[in-house]
Amino acid sequence: MPDLIRLQAGGLVGPNQRFHIDAWGKAAVNLITHAHGDHARLGSAEYWCAEDCVPILRHRLGADIRVKPMRYEEKSRLGDCWISFHPAGHIRGSAQIRIEQYSTVWVVTGDYKRDPDPTCRPFEPIPCQTLITEATFGLPIYHWTSSSVTVKAIVDWWQWCKQQQVTALLFCYALGKAQRILAELCRWTDEEVLLHGAVASLTNIYREQGVSMIPTRLVGEVTGGTAGRLILAPPSAHRSPWMKRFSAVSTAFASGWMAVRGARRQRGYQRGFVLSDHADWAGLIKTVEESRASRVLVTHGSSESLARFLRETKGLHAEPLATEFGEREE
């Protein structure tokens, strides 16, 4: 039987080219796993996504895009395939996509994580014959500690900044990571956090969907100094003219890449907090095992390393799949 999903110039393509998945070219029907820029791109005639993803997708691609919202686990017919979206636990509205044709089932995970996240539904394993999995952190060196432990370390650093009378400037990805931190902070404090504009607009969308987070305000609305305040900003603001408004700062980055000490030094942050919205090595292996797939295609990140491990230790038919999805983004 031919492959259900094939890799072509424009991305991952379904039978008879009726649909793409996270297309990087134009598509008639584009099934979207989540709204990060390397997975959701403008140019398709119609987008299908989980209903929680719709407001974020419209914010990023435009209010006039044509979207078909899907409830999680809801099945919809597309040609001779049944399509359904299932929680991926990566960011709000993120989904794995299950494709069923006759008795064959493939699952495309998109980006995912196995750790709890108060802003989105948790990952759900899906049985299938063929699994296309990401491998952003597909090396054994990547192992995450509990997010509650990491966020408590962020709170302690914030308190240290107060004592030193400097601004605590925490860089993190504007979509997903920032809102997860704001939600996790509710365990420790109700003190207001200041936001860069790029973080604020996406945070407002989460809040409109009922996600509970700590009080926030745009940093531009604050009169007087920001010493002792915690500010969340996207990585693009680091070492930018935007930072000149602060007289004294302590900088930090929240990312899975901070698990490697050299990465923090390379990026020039004073502190690094290991917090990822992707699965770590153990989470990737667990996901493959729970899928019960006999064939695994591994895309972006350390794809060759994970595929080799699955072949040599699990006896699976595993191989890397070269895509244009980002390797450094979270």
Side-chain angles (χ1 to χ4, degrees):
M1 178 174 289
D3 287 349
L4 266 184
I5 305 298
R6 290 173 291 110
L7 184 64
Q8 293 188 345
L12 300 173
V13 183
N16 301 317
Q17 303 199 33
R18 283 188 175 273
F19 61 87
H20 286 63
I21 299 174
D22 291 347
W24 50 81
K26 294 182 178 180
V29 176
N30 194 1
L31 312 182
I32 297 295
T33 61
H34 66 287
H36 276 144
D38 58 329
H39 289 261
R41 309 187 196 203
L42 197 58
S44 295
E46 183 176 345
Y47 297 86
W48 292 20
C49 65
E51 58 185 357
D52 289 346
C53 179
V54 174
I56 306 168
L57 193 67
R58 289 193 184 280
H59 174 77
R60 294 219 136 176
L61 300 186
D64 58 344
I65 61 170
R66 187 177 173 188
V67 180
K68 175 182 171 69
M70 297 276 290
R71 294 190 302 275
Y72 285 123
E73 289 92 31
E74 173 189 13
K75 287 187 176 181
S76 189
R77 191 74 180 258
L78 194 51
D80 56 1
C81 293
W82 288 100
I83 308 295
S84 55
F85 290 68
H86 302 259
H90 176 56
I91 63 172
R92 187 160 184 80
S94 61
Q96 307 168 77
I97 299 177
R98 180 182 185 275
I99 305 102
E100 179 180 359
Q101 185 189 52
Y102 311 121
S103 59
T104 301
V105 176
W106 284 47
V107 169
V108 179
T109 66
D111 294 341
Y112 65 95
K113 69 173 175 287
R114 304 303 305 262
D115 298 327
D117 181 338
T119 71
C120 62
R121 284 183 53 171
F123 180 95
E124 294 179 5
I126 308 171
C128 58
Q129 284 98 38
T130 300
L131 179 73
I132 299 180
T133 179
E134 63 131 327
T136 302
F137 292 102
L139 291 173
I141 60 171
Y142 293 110
H143 170 72
W144 312 145
T145 56
S146 163
S147 59
S148 62
V149 171
T150 301
V151 174
K152 178 58 167 59
I154 291 174
V155 171
D156 291 345
W157 165 70
W158 181 8
Q159 295 305 310
W160 177 86
C161 289
K162 283 183 183 178
Q163 294 168 4
Q164 302 302 312
Q165 282 298 293
V166 301
T167 301
L169 196 47
L170 178 61
F171 295 92
C172 55
Y173 293 105
L175 172 56
K177 185 68 63 61
Q179 293 76 33
R180 182 184 179 192
I181 291 171
L182 293 170
E184 293 275 8
L185 281 172
C186 293
R187 300 185 188 187
W188 306 101
T189 178
D190 59 359
E191 186 174 344
E192 181 185 72
V193 172
L194 305 180
L195 303 181
H196 184 282
V199 175
S201 58
L202 291 159
T203 300
N204 289 339
I205 294 173
Y206 270 57
R207 196 162 268 136
E208 289 166 0
Q209 290 189 298
V211 177
S212 180
M213 291 176 285
I214 201 167
T216 59
R217 194 188 339 175
L218 266 174
V219 66
E221 295 175 352
V222 175
T223 58
T226 58
R229 305 295 298 272
L230 173 63
I231 301 175
L232 301 192
S236 59
H238 187 220
R239 292 172 168 168
S240 73
W242 177 82
M243 280 186 62
K244 293 180 180 177
R245 68 178 66 191
F246 309 111
S247 56
V249 299
S250 177
T251 63
F253 188 33
S255 167
W257 300 113
M258 295 298 96
V260 179
R261 185 174 300 175
R264 175 163 60 87
R265 288 200 302 268
Q266 181 183 11
R267 297 182 184 218
Y269 299 104
Q270 294 168 298
R271 291 287 304 271
F273 298 104
V274 182
L275 187 68
S276 178
D277 286 332
H278 291 263
D280 63 3
W281 173 256
L284 293 168
I285 303 303
K286 178 181 178 182
T287 299
V288 170
E289 291 175 342
E290 290 181 342
S291 75
R292 302 199 294 271
S294 58
R295 184 185 181 198
V296 181
L297 303 176
V298 187
T299 182
H300 63 297
S302 302
S303 54
E304 179 56 55
S305 298
L306 179 58
R308 186 186 313 118
F309 176 86
L310 295 173
R311 286 194 304 271
E312 295 178 354
T313 66
K314 304 292 181 181
L316 298 176
H317 178 190
E319 56 187 312
L321 182 69
T323 64
E324 293 189 8
F325 304 132
E327 296 184 0
R328 301 295 296 178
E329 298 302 321
E330 282 193 88

